[in-house]
Amino acid sequence: MATSFTSSSSALSLSLVLFCIGLSSARLTGKVTNNELTHICSKTENPTLCLRILKADPRSTTADLKGLGQVSIDLGLTKAKDTKNYIGSLIKPHGLLQEKFLSCLKNYENSIGNLQNANQDLRTDDYNGVKVQTSAATTETDECKQEFTFAPYSPSELTKKNQDFDFLCSIILVVSKSLLGQN
């Protein structure tokens, strides 16, 4: 009788473990619901903007959590490339600030590389790597912002683009933390 109880107990324990693994797996592969999307965006500084940005991408409506990570990284990469191109257009007309713009250009090149690495980390399920690479990308934009802290001129559009990029990175960070089970 004791052997039967031990076998039943072991079977029950194994069943519970498999059930929990199934739930966590389903969490990564199931479509992100509107409530989950709202919860993710509530972790950003502007939940309404976050929802608007993510819902504007049609992939978000069918994405699982990992897919949402892909969407947010793609949005960040697009913004980083756009900002890099914008900075490149400012280098010639503003000779006095050329070094500052060149430095920012390099920062955005590095940010693009960081987000490309985050993209690779996402593909290999290295969600902590996504978080680390995204944080590094925001550090690069912080350095770009520092270039203009005491400058006589700072293009307001660059300031806005820096803010937009930082916000998109904050979405990537929230999604990566959700993938890690930290939210």
Side-chain angles (χ1 to χ4, degrees), residues 33-53:
T33 66
N34 198 46
N35 285 342
E36 290 168 324
L37 196 57
T38 300
H39 176 73
I40 287 167
C41 286
S42 75
K43 304 287 184 184
T44 68
E45 64 187 47
N46 188 338
T48 304
L49 179 60
C50 174
L51 281 169
R52 192 169 73 232
I53 289 169

Side-chain angles (χ1 to χ4, degrees), residues 83-99:
T83 304
K84 177 185 168 265
N85 291 338
Y86 174 72
I87 293 167
S89 76
L90 296 175
I91 292 174
K92 293 178 185 172
H94 300 286
L96 291 172
L97 299 174
Q98 183 173 0
E99 285 184 39

Side-chain angles (χ1 to χ4, degrees), residues 144-176:
C144 177
K145 288 182 233 174
Q146 288 295 327
E147 287 292 328
F148 293 96
T149 301
F150 299 108
Y153 167 76
S154 177
S156 60
E157 190 170 343
L158 178 57
T159 301
K160 172 80 169 101
K161 287 179 179 291
N162 282 335
Q163 291 168 345
D164 292 347
F165 179 73
D166 282 346
F167 184 70
L168 290 170
C169 285
S170 76
I171 296 171
I172 300 167
L173 288 169
V174 170
V175 173
S176 67

Side-chain angles (χ1 to χ4, degrees), residues 54-63:
L54 290 177
K55 286 183 175 183
D57 190 305
R59 296 175 296 167
S60 295
T61 60
T62 59

